[in-house]
Structure formats: structure tokens, C-alpha cells
Amino acid sequence: MSGFESMDDDDSWDDDFAEGLIGQTLLLGLLYFEYDGTLRERRQVFGVVESVHRVAGIAIREEKSGEIFVAAPVLDAIEHGTPGVYQLSDDDDEIVDPDFTARISITAPLRS
């Protein structure tokens, strides 16, 4: 069985929540780390959720570029946004009152 097939059996997937994300704004903060925990890059993605699929991921049409960014289908990382101004780092755009927010950390594997 592949990792994708096992995700289909995941009891934490919430179809109603996933469906409710479509058409909503999502601010996604991505933190990329080296295998030793050193921060390599920060990225902020903001836009409207176009689709959500437990295997294919969460497709977000980025507000600034109009391009589609596909995030991992990790619903547990997504929270309702509280009113306010959001900014992952000083270099990122300020986002006002997103419908939902999420922060995901990605760690590179140790390569020999």
C-alpha cells in the first residue's frame, strides 16, 4: 500500500470542513528547515482555496500572481482566522482578515 492510499483511510479527514474551505481565503505560512533544524526559507502563500482533496492537496489561487499553489492536505493545521493583520515575516505582504490561516513546517531529510 502506498502512502497516498493510507491517507484515504485517515479518520482525521473532515469532508465538511474540506468542502467549507472552497471559496474562502487562506493564509499559509510555510517554514522550510534543513535536516538539522536550521531554518532555510520562509514562504507566505495567500489566496482563495479552489479545491481540497485528501490526496491531491489544497489548491490555492495566489492573490498576487494568480498562480495555483498546491499545499499538503493537512486539515489539522488550518484554523479559522481571527480579525487582524497577518505577516509571516517583515518581507511578506500584510494580509488583513483572512478567513483561515495555517502554518506548516517542512524538514528536509538527512542525505548521505
Side-chain angles (χ1 to χ4, degrees), residues 17-25 48-53 100:
F17 183 72
E19 185 70 26
L21 290 172
I22 297 171
Q24 302 294 311
T25 58
V48 175
V49 176
E50 294 221 335
S51 65
V52 181
H53 187 273
F100 292 91

PDB file of all heavy atoms in Angstrom, residues 17-25 48-53 100:
ATOM      1  N   PHE A  17     -15.512  20.063   6.569  1.00  0.00           N
ATOM      2  CA  PHE A  17     -14.553  21.153   6.751  1.00  0.00           C
ATOM      3  C   PHE A  17     -13.814  21.423   5.439  1.00  0.00           C
ATOM      4  O   PHE A  17     -13.659  22.577   5.022  1.00  0.00           O
ATOM      5  CB  PHE A  17     -13.568  20.819   7.871  1.00  0.00           C
ATOM      6  CG  PHE A  17     -12.588  21.914   8.166  1.00  0.00           C
ATOM      7  CD1 PHE A  17     -12.994  23.078   8.803  1.00  0.00           C
ATOM      8  CD2 PHE A  17     -11.256  21.790   7.804  1.00  0.00           C
ATOM      9  CE1 PHE A  17     -12.089  24.102   9.080  1.00  0.00           C
ATOM     10  CE2 PHE A  17     -10.341  22.795   8.080  1.00  0.00           C
ATOM     11  CZ  PHE A  17     -10.765  23.955   8.712  1.00  0.00           C
ATOM     12  N   ALA A  18     -13.378  20.349   4.768  1.00  0.00           N
ATOM     13  CA  ALA A  18     -12.667  20.489   3.495  1.00  0.00           C
ATOM     14  C   ALA A  18     -13.534  21.212   2.475  1.00  0.00           C
ATOM     15  O   ALA A  18     -13.080  22.144   1.797  1.00  0.00           O
ATOM     16  CB  ALA A  18     -12.248  19.118   2.974  1.00  0.00           C
ATOM     17  N   GLU A  19     -14.772  20.826   2.352  1.00  0.00           N
ATOM     18  CA  GLU A  19     -15.696  21.450   1.410  1.00  0.00           C
ATOM     19  C   GLU A  19     -15.923  22.917   1.763  1.00  0.00           C
ATOM     20  O   GLU A  19     -16.026  23.779   0.883  1.00  0.00           O
ATOM     21  CB  GLU A  19     -17.024  20.692   1.404  1.00  0.00           C
ATOM     22  CG  GLU A  19     -18.017  21.184   0.391  1.00  0.00           C
ATOM     23  CD  GLU A  19     -17.634  20.867  -1.052  1.00  0.00           C
ATOM     24  OE1 GLU A  19     -16.905  19.887  -1.284  1.00  0.00           O
ATOM     25  OE2 GLU A  19     -18.060  21.619  -1.935  1.00  0.00           O
ATOM     26  N   GLY A  20     -15.985  23.227   3.060  1.00  0.00           N
ATOM     27  CA  GLY A  20     -16.207  24.591   3.514  1.00  0.00           C
ATOM     28  C   GLY A  20     -15.045  25.532   3.242  1.00  0.00           C
ATOM     29  O   GLY A  20     -15.208  26.751   3.270  1.00  0.00           O
ATOM     30  N   LEU A  21     -13.856  24.988   2.978  1.00  0.00           N
ATOM     31  CA  LEU A  21     -12.691  25.820   2.661  1.00  0.00           C
ATOM     32  C   LEU A  21     -12.765  26.409   1.253  1.00  0.00           C
ATOM     33  O   LEU A  21     -12.207  27.473   0.984  1.00  0.00           O
ATOM     34  CB  LEU A  21     -11.404  25.006   2.790  1.00  0.00           C
ATOM     35  CG  LEU A  21     -10.980  24.596   4.189  1.00  0.00           C
ATOM     36  CD1 LEU A  21      -9.794  23.637   4.114  1.00  0.00           C
ATOM     37  CD2 LEU A  21     -10.630  25.808   5.027  1.00  0.00           C
ATOM     38  N   ILE A  22     -13.455  25.718   0.360  1.00  0.00           N
ATOM     39  CA  ILE A  22     -13.512  26.141  -1.040  1.00  0.00           C
ATOM     40  C   ILE A  22     -14.194  27.510  -1.140  1.00  0.00           C
ATOM     41  O   ILE A  22     -15.261  27.732  -0.583  1.00  0.00           O
ATOM     42  CB  ILE A  22     -14.222  25.089  -1.897  1.00  0.00           C
ATOM     43  CG1 ILE A  22     -13.415  23.785  -1.856  1.00  0.00           C
ATOM     44  CG2 ILE A  22     -14.396  25.580  -3.335  1.00  0.00           C
ATOM     45  CD1 ILE A  22     -14.105  22.600  -2.486  1.00  0.00           C
ATOM     46  N   GLY A  23     -13.506  28.433  -1.813  1.00  0.00           N
ATOM     47  CA  GLY A  23     -14.009  29.791  -1.982  1.00  0.00           C
ATOM     48  C   GLY A  23     -13.612  30.735  -0.859  1.00  0.00           C
ATOM     49  O   GLY A  23     -13.862  31.937  -0.934  1.00  0.00           O
ATOM     50  N   GLN A  24     -12.959  30.213   0.171  1.00  0.00           N
ATOM     51  CA  GLN A  24     -12.524  31.023   1.312  1.00  0.00           C
ATOM     52  C   GLN A  24     -11.065  31.447   1.117  1.00  0.00           C
ATOM     53  O   GLN A  24     -10.314  30.793   0.397  1.00  0.00           O
ATOM     54  CB  GLN A  24     -12.643  30.224   2.616  1.00  0.00           C
ATOM     55  CG  GLN A  24     -14.038  29.721   2.898  1.00  0.00           C
ATOM     56  CD  GLN A  24     -15.006  30.860   3.155  1.00  0.00           C
ATOM     57  OE1 GLN A  24     -14.730  31.754   3.941  1.00  0.00           O
ATOM     58  NE2 GLN A  24     -16.136  30.840   2.467  1.00  0.00           N
ATOM     59  N   THR A  25     -10.661  32.522   1.789  1.00  0.00           N
ATOM     60  CA  THR A  25      -9.255  32.924   1.727  1.00  0.00           C
ATOM     61  C   THR A  25      -8.459  32.156   2.772  1.00  0.00           C
ATOM     62  O   THR A  25      -8.941  31.901   3.881  1.00  0.00           O
ATOM     63  CB  THR A  25      -9.079  34.433   1.954  1.00  0.00           C
ATOM     64  OG1 THR A  25      -9.629  34.807   3.214  1.00  0.00           O
ATOM     65  CG2 THR A  25      -9.729  35.230   0.830  1.00  0.00           C
ATOM     66  N   VAL A  48      -7.365  32.407  -2.587  1.00  0.00           N
ATOM     67  CA  VAL A  48      -8.652  31.727  -2.447  1.00  0.00           C
ATOM     68  C   VAL A  48      -8.470  30.235  -2.705  1.00  0.00           C
ATOM     69  O   VAL A  48      -7.808  29.833  -3.670  1.00  0.00           O
ATOM     70  CB  VAL A  48      -9.684  32.317  -3.442  1.00  0.00           C
ATOM     71  CG1 VAL A  48     -10.987  31.538  -3.406  1.00  0.00           C
ATOM     72  CG2 VAL A  48      -9.935  33.783  -3.122  1.00  0.00           C
ATOM     73  N   VAL A  49      -9.050  29.423  -1.841  1.00  0.00           N
ATOM     74  CA  VAL A  49      -8.986  27.964  -1.987  1.00  0.00           C
ATOM     75  C   VAL A  49      -9.897  27.565  -3.150  1.00  0.00           C
ATOM     76  O   VAL A  49     -11.079  27.878  -3.155  1.00  0.00           O
ATOM     77  CB  VAL A  49      -9.428  27.257  -0.689  1.00  0.00           C
ATOM     78  CG1 VAL A  49      -9.454  25.747  -0.894  1.00  0.00           C
ATOM     79  CG2 VAL A  49      -8.518  27.644   0.461  1.00  0.00           C
ATOM     80  N   GLU A  50      -9.307  26.894  -4.131  1.00  0.00           N
ATOM     81  CA  GLU A  50     -10.067  26.463  -5.303  1.00  0.00           C
ATOM     82  C   GLU A  50     -10.562  25.032  -5.178  1.00  0.00           C
ATOM     83  O   GLU A  50     -11.632  24.702  -5.671  1.00  0.00           O
ATOM     84  CB  GLU A  50      -9.214  26.606  -6.556  1.00  0.00           C
ATOM     85  CG  GLU A  50      -8.902  28.047  -6.852  1.00  0.00           C
ATOM     86  CD  GLU A  50      -8.998  28.360  -8.317  1.00  0.00           C
ATOM     87  OE1 GLU A  50      -8.848  27.460  -9.150  1.00  0.00           O
ATOM     88  OE2 GLU A  50      -9.217  29.551  -8.625  1.00  0.00           O
ATOM     89  N   SER A  51      -9.764  24.174  -4.542  1.00  0.00           N
ATOM     90  CA  SER A  51     -10.187  22.787  -4.361  1.00  0.00           C
ATOM     91  C   SER A  51      -9.437  22.191  -3.176  1.00  0.00           C
ATOM     92  O   SER A  51      -8.363  22.657  -2.802  1.00  0.00           O
ATOM     93  CB  SER A  51      -9.934  21.956  -5.627  1.00  0.00           C
ATOM     94  OG  SER A  51      -8.543  21.857  -5.888  1.00  0.00           O
ATOM     95  N   VAL A  52     -10.051  21.157  -2.603  1.00  0.00           N
ATOM     96  CA  VAL A  52      -9.439  20.441  -1.479  1.00  0.00           C
ATOM     97  C   VAL A  52      -9.677  18.955  -1.713  1.00  0.00           C
ATOM     98  O   VAL A  52     -10.817  18.529  -1.922  1.00  0.00           O
ATOM     99  CB  VAL A  52     -10.062  20.857  -0.130  1.00  0.00           C
ATOM    100  CG1 VAL A  52      -9.399  20.111   1.009  1.00  0.00           C
ATOM    101  CG2 VAL A  52      -9.965  22.355   0.084  1.00  0.00           C
ATOM    102  N   HIS A  53      -8.591  18.185  -1.719  1.00  0.00           N
ATOM    103  CA  HIS A  53      -8.693  16.742  -1.933  1.00  0.00           C
ATOM    104  C   HIS A  53      -7.724  16.045  -0.986  1.00  0.00           C
ATOM    105  O   HIS A  53      -6.581  16.482  -0.844  1.00  0.00           O
ATOM    106  CB  HIS A  53      -8.366  16.403  -3.389  1.00  0.00           C
ATOM    107  CG  HIS A  53      -8.605  14.984  -3.728  1.00  0.00           C
ATOM    108  ND1 HIS A  53      -7.657  14.011  -3.549  1.00  0.00           N
ATOM    109  CD2 HIS A  53      -9.701  14.366  -4.223  1.00  0.00           C
ATOM    110  CE1 HIS A  53      -8.148  12.845  -3.920  1.00  0.00           C
ATOM    111  NE2 HIS A  53      -9.396  13.032  -4.336  1.00  0.00           N
ATOM    112  N   PHE A 100      -9.114  31.871   6.862  1.00  0.00           N
ATOM    113  CA  PHE A 100      -8.416  30.773   7.526  1.00  0.00           C
ATOM    114  C   PHE A 100      -6.915  31.017   7.493  1.00  0.00           C
ATOM    115  O   PHE A 100      -6.409  31.710   6.602  1.00  0.00           O
ATOM    116  CB  PHE A 100      -8.717  29.436   6.825  1.00  0.00           C
ATOM    117  CG  PHE A 100     -10.139  28.987   6.985  1.00  0.00           C
ATOM    118  CD1 PHE A 100     -11.106  29.347   6.062  1.00  0.00           C
ATOM    119  CD2 PHE A 100     -10.511  28.200   8.069  1.00  0.00           C
ATOM    120  CE1 PHE A 100     -12.425  28.944   6.204  1.00  0.00           C
ATOM    121  CE2 PHE A 100     -11.827  27.794   8.225  1.00  0.00           C
ATOM    122  CZ  PHE A 100     -12.783  28.163   7.297  1.00  0.00           C
TER     123      PHE A 100
END
